[in-house]
Amino acid sequence: MSTLSGPQLVARLQWRYATKRFDAARKIPAADWAALEAALVLTPSSFGLQPWKFVVITDQPTKEKLVPVSWNQGQPAECSHHVVFAVRTKLGEAEIDAYLDSIIAARGVARESLAGFCGMMTGFANKPGLDVRAWATFQAYIALGNFMTSAAVMGIDTCPMEGIEPGRYDEILGLDKTGFATVVACAAGYRADGDKYAALKKVRFPKEQVITRI
Ligand SMILES: Cc1cc2nc3c(=O)[nH]c(=O)nc-3n(C[C@H](O)[C@H](O)[C@H](O)COP(=O)(O)O)c2cc1C
């Protein structure tokens, strides 16, 4: 399997920027999109519980409806694929059981062998004061990072978007009453020629300030 060298990786990460203007005429080819969906699905999560749903929007009228509930930012309409990262609002026996079923199916192990693991997850889920939505949101942001980096490696542009009204997204996408709630979105596609943000220098604190070596 081929890998990127360190300088190649850094070049891809320098290339990525939060894209403000997408070329609305360019769509991500199906095979590339399939790889990005795989990146979403392969995202690691705490206990492996995957407390998320990724809503992929390519329907143009729906993308346009999201602009006014995205602080009037144009990316949802202009991008190729708009991804909404939604999280579970509840973590109970049913969710843990469904996950155990998928472990059994994937690895062919006996349910009894997972009793200890099940106990750990149940203990976590029942911890007094656990904010399931906040915990699931941490997991969703890992998926967001994984998605953006994967896209950058493939030469696909993205814009992470917290500038959205999550409750309105839920209404428009029919997420309310599904047990999932929107936390963040990410537009994906190809930068428009005239997007002046592409040429801006990166602003980052110096490495010495943000990395401590012990
Ligand atoms: C979680 C998150 C939410 C963001 N929300 C928005 C947004 O709503 N609109 C936007 O144009 N940029 C948004 N950004 C982009 C940031 O402003 C940008 O990543 C940051 O300034 C660094 O610039 P760069 O990504 O171009 O290197 C967001 C970034 C992150 C990580």
Side-chain angles (χ1 to χ4, degrees):
M1 200 184 282
S2 63
T3 57
L4 294 183
S5 67
Q8 284 171 331
L9 173 66
V10 174
R12 294 318 303 161
L13 296 174
Q14 285 283 358
W15 175 87
R16 187 210 59 78
Y17 76 106
T19 305
K20 304 292 187 256
R21 300 296 313 271
F22 284 90
D23 179 346
R26 283 189 74 192
K27 301 296 175 198
I28 301 171
D32 288 350
W33 183 255
L36 289 181
E37 285 192 356
L40 289 171
V41 171
L42 285 167
T43 299
S45 56
S46 181
F47 295 115
L49 272 163
Q50 309 157 72
W52 48 49
K53 177 88 78 188
F54 308 112
V55 184
V56 176
I57 308 156
T58 53
D59 176 62
Q60 195 55 28
T62 306
K63 285 161 70 213
E64 276 162 26
K65 261 192 230 161
L66 294 175
V67 170
V69 294
S70 304
W71 301 5
N72 281 317
Q73 301 183 87
Q75 293 95 324
E78 288 188 344
C79 70
S80 166
H81 291 59
H82 193 58
V83 185
V84 176
F85 294 73
V87 296
R88 275 193 190 288
T89 52
K90 182 176 158 284
L91 177 64
E93 204 178 316
E95 289 76 23
I96 291 172
D97 263 353
Y99 175 46
L100 291 173
D101 286 345
S102 75
I103 299 176
I104 292 162
R107 297 187 173 159
V109 293
R111 182 168 287 269
E112 304 76 66
S113 72
L114 299 172
F117 186 46
C118 177
M120 257 168 63
M121 288 190 289
T122 306
F124 172 75
N126 293 331
K127 209 167 57 180
L130 173 72
D131 182 342
V132 170
R133 202 156 158 156
W135 166 78
T137 298
F138 296 144
Q139 316 306 316
Y141 273 80
I142 299 172
L144 173 66
N146 204 31
F147 178 75
M148 290 192 293
T149 301
S150 302
V153 166
M154 295 177 70
I156 293 170
D157 287 298
T158 53
C159 186
M161 298 185 71
E162 253 176 359
I164 63 171
E165 293 177 50
R168 300 296 309 283
Y169 263 57
D170 291 346
E171 283 165 30
I172 292 169
L173 303 174
L175 280 171
D176 26 8
K177 302 186 195 81
T178 65
F180 289 90
T182 298
V183 293
V184 68
C186 190
Y190 300 95
R191 61 190 71 177
D193 278 345
D195 189 358
K196 59 181 192 307
Y197 287 85
L200 293 181
K201 277 203 79 152
K202 287 245 173 270
V203 180
R204 296 294 191 269
F205 294 127
K207 167 167 93 170
E208 296 67 33
Q209 195 176 323
V210 295
I211 298 178
T212 299
R213 298 192 193 88
I214 295 170

